């Protein structure tokens, strides 16, 4: 998140800034739903990880299905989710924890109401800290394939929500509900997880991935490194990402070939671009400008955004393979942020294809610079 925008938003809300109200009310609606949610735990699953310890995170590869021609074996069907992978595993639960903690922390920061911080603290304690329910700080058994492999590097994608959770931990620092002891215990957990993340072969395998998996891995490493005070580690990684992610993943015309090769080519192009935008936002807070990095032949985040932006128009057909309806709403949310970074581009004009009321109610407007919802090329909302 952008700390300058956060502070200005809080001041604006305190003075009744009307342009912020739709996003603020949407955030509070999400936060109030989270107040009624039961915090999940890795102990909720009945399946036992290969280690025999239910405190270990466990998930199943979503695109692998039982092979009807060879019982006991699984085959890959890219883009087609096996419902079996969504039952009694930890991936969805961890995502829920990270999302709810971020929402609740923002609601606390903007309102000062301890009920939101208290609920965020409850989610954090149950998932990460309480001895009876805590997750062990590793993802050794993520995206396993039954009968073939216990865990794969791809499993780390389920922890991408930890990036936003690092922001949440900072916002909770003002709360009486999240104590110094809680923060110290969470820091210890994150140090252990960071050590696993940067030394374990499964984790390093995710870092070597040349597609969205590798990009999201880098967002985790950079964000957690900054939280732990390892600023030099984060900066070195972000500087490497100019070549390792931007130059190697984006073509001069903005295409992302590794994502276009997927059966959900629009969604995965957008997914990787979202990770690149997150990296650029992290870099913005670490003194590394990825937003405006460009190779000699024109590869850049802006170029990738400009490639996707025309397809905000539902009448413009996506020319690559996409086996399900494309996620155009996700493109709108990304353009809302990116157009503020590139005020001299035409990105903002694509926002006319999205309902203005939906853009106005996007909670990201509270934490990032965004363009006015009219979509015209103007200075960013503060």
């Amino acid at each position: 998140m952008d700390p300058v925008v956060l502070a200005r938003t809080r001041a604006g809300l305190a003075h009744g800034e009307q342009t912020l109200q739709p996003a603020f009310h949407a955030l509070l609606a999400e936060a109030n739903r989270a107040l009624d949610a039961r915090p999940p735990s890795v102990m909720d699953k009945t399946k036992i990880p290969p280690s025999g310890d239910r405190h270990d995170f466990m998930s199943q590869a979503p695109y692998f299905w039982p092979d009807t021609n060879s019982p006991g074996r699984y085959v890959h069907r890219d883009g087609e989710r096996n419902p079996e992978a969504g039952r009694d595993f930890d991936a969805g639960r961890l995502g829920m924890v990270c999302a709810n903690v971020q929402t609740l922390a923002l609601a606390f920061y903007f309102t000062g109401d301890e009920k939101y911080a208290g609920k965020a603290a409850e989610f954090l304690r149950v998932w990460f800290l309480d001895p009876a329910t805590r997750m062990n700080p590793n993802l050794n058994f993520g995206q396993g394939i039954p009968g073939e492999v216990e865990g794969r590097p791809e499993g780390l994608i389920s922890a991408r929500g930890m990036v936003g959770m690092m922001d949440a931990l900072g916002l909770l620092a003002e709360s009486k509900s999240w104590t110094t002891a809680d923060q110290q215990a969470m820091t210890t957990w994150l140090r252990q997880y960071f050590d696993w993340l940067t030394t374990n072969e499964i984790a390093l395998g995710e870092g070597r991935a040349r597609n969205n998996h590798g990009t999201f891995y880098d967002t985790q490493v950079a964000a957690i490194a900054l939280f732990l005070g390892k600023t030099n580690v984060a900066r070195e990684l972000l500087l490497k990402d100019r070549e390792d992610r931007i130059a190697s993943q984006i073509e001069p015309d903005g295409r992302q070939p590794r994502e276009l090769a997927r059966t959900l080519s629009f969604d995965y192009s957008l997914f990787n671009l979202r990770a690149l935008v997150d990296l650029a936002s992290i870099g913005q807070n670490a003194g590394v400008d990825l937003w405006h990095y460009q190779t000699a032949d024109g590869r850049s985040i802006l170029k990738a955004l400009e490639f996707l932006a025309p397809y905000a128009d539902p009448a413009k057909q996506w020319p690559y393979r996409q086996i399900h309806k494309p996620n155009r709403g996700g493109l709108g949310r990304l353009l809302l942020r990116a157009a503020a970074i590139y005020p001299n581009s035409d990105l903002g004009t694509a926002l006319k294809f999205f309902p203005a009321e939906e853009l106005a109610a996007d909670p990201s407007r509270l934490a990032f610079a965004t363009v006015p919802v009219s979509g015209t090329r103007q200075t960013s909302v503060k």
Side-chain angles (χ1 to χ4, degrees):
M1 300 181 192
D2 186 324
V4 173
V5 174
L6 284 169
R8 288 177 176 169
T9 296
R10 183 157 69 171
L13 290 171
H15 288 89
E17 173 63 51
Q18 289 303 303
T19 62
L20 297 172
Q21 294 305 311
F24 181 54
H25 290 312
L27 174 72
L28 289 186
E30 290 181 20
N32 290 331
R33 285 192 291 271
L35 288 175
D36 295 328
R38 183 187 73 84
S41 158
V42 288
M43 302 302 286
D44 290 344
K45 62 181 176 291
T46 59
K47 290 184 170 67
I48 306 298
S51 62
D53 186 353
R54 282 170 61 204
H55 289 276
D56 282 328
F57 177 98
M58 183 182 181
S59 67
Q60 183 171 312
Y63 296 154
F64 281 78
W65 293 70
D67 185 351
T68 55
N69 297 319
S70 182
R73 292 185 59 83
Y74 278 65
V75 293
H76 185 231
R77 289 160 54 178
D78 187 43
E80 301 179 44
R81 287 190 170 272
N82 180 357
E84 178 185 334
R87 302 188 193 111
D88 199 27
F89 286 105
D90 294 317
R93 297 182 184 116
L94 176 56
M96 172 194 173
V97 169
C98 294
N100 282 340
V101 167
Q102 183 176 348
T103 296
L104 289 161
L106 278 168
F108 164 71
Y109 178 77
F110 292 132
T111 66
D113 193 332
E114 282 288 336
K115 70 184 179 186
Y116 297 118
K119 189 67 177 186
E122 185 183 351
F123 273 103
L124 289 165
R125 291 185 192 121
V126 169
W127 190 272
F128 296 103
L129 303 182
D130 291 351
T133 58
R134 71 191 293 271
M135 170 186 162
N136 289 334
N138 70 74
L139 278 82
N140 289 325
F141 308 114
Q143 286 211 19
I145 302 171
E148 183 175 328
V149 62
E150 295 177 345
R152 303 187 302 145
E154 290 84 349
L156 273 77
I157 201 80
S158 299
R160 64 188 182 278
M162 286 194 185
V163 174
M165 201 178 76
M166 298 304 100
D167 286 322
L169 291 171
L171 297 176
L172 291 173
E174 298 180 4
S175 168
K176 299 175 183 177
S177 302
W178 183 247
T179 67
T180 301
D182 287 326
Q183 188 78 343
Q184 290 173 344
M186 192 71 226
T187 301
T188 297
W189 191 97
L190 285 166
R191 281 200 188 102
Q192 294 170 346
Y193 178 68
F194 186 81
D195 181 64
W196 180 87
L197 193 62
T198 54
T199 62
N200 181 272
E201 188 54 34
I202 288 177
L204 293 175
E206 185 77 335
R208 289 191 292 267
R210 310 316 298 169
N211 64 352
N212 65 84
H213 280 270
T215 317
F216 275 110
Y217 171 86
D218 286 358
T219 65
Q220 276 196 70
V221 173
I224 297 173
L226 287 176
F227 177 83
L228 295 175
K230 299 177 183 290
T231 305
N232 288 339
V233 173
R235 283 180 53 82
E236 288 174 9
L237 177 64
L238 291 161
L239 288 168
K240 281 185 58 183
D241 282 334
R242 295 179 302 184
E243 292 296 324
D244 289 356
R245 304 303 173 200
I246 296 174
S248 72
Q249 293 179 344
I250 302 169
E251 292 294 295
D253 64 357
R255 289 177 300 116
Q256 300 172 69
R258 293 180 181 87
E259 312 307 331
L260 291 178
R262 304 293 297 272
T263 63
L264 296 171
S265 58
F266 181 92
D267 290 0
Y268 274 105
S269 294
L270 181 62
F271 193 50
N272 190 55
L273 189 49
R274 194 184 101 195
L276 289 167
V277 164
D278 285 346
L279 274 179
S281 295
I282 295 168
Q284 187 175 327
N285 292 330
V288 177
D289 186 4
L290 296 181
W291 287 117
H292 300 100
Y293 173 77
Q294 181 173 303
T295 63
D297 59 355
R299 302 163 194 258
S300 68
I301 291 175
L302 174 58
K303 190 65 71 172
L305 286 159
E306 289 176 334
F307 179 81
L308 279 182
Y311 298 100
D313 181 355
K316 186 174 177 62
Q317 186 173 358
W318 178 249
Y320 303 93
R321 192 176 184 197
Q322 175 72 23
I323 62 175
H324 300 310
K325 184 178 179 180
N327 178 22
R328 285 194 168 86
L331 177 58
R333 289 189 292 274
L334 202 61
L335 291 174
L336 189 64
R337 283 173 58 185
I341 301 295
Y342 306 108
N344 296 319
S345 74
D346 291 325
L347 295 179
T349 61
L351 292 172
K352 68 184 178 182
F353 295 106
F354 302 96
E357 61 274 15
E358 290 183 11
L359 296 175
D362 190 329
S364 70
R365 297 179 61 237
L366 306 173
F368 299 97
T370 61
V371 293
V373 296
S374 64
T376 57
R377 291 191 290 180
Q378 302 175 36
T379 55
S380 59
V381 173
K382 300 298 185 184

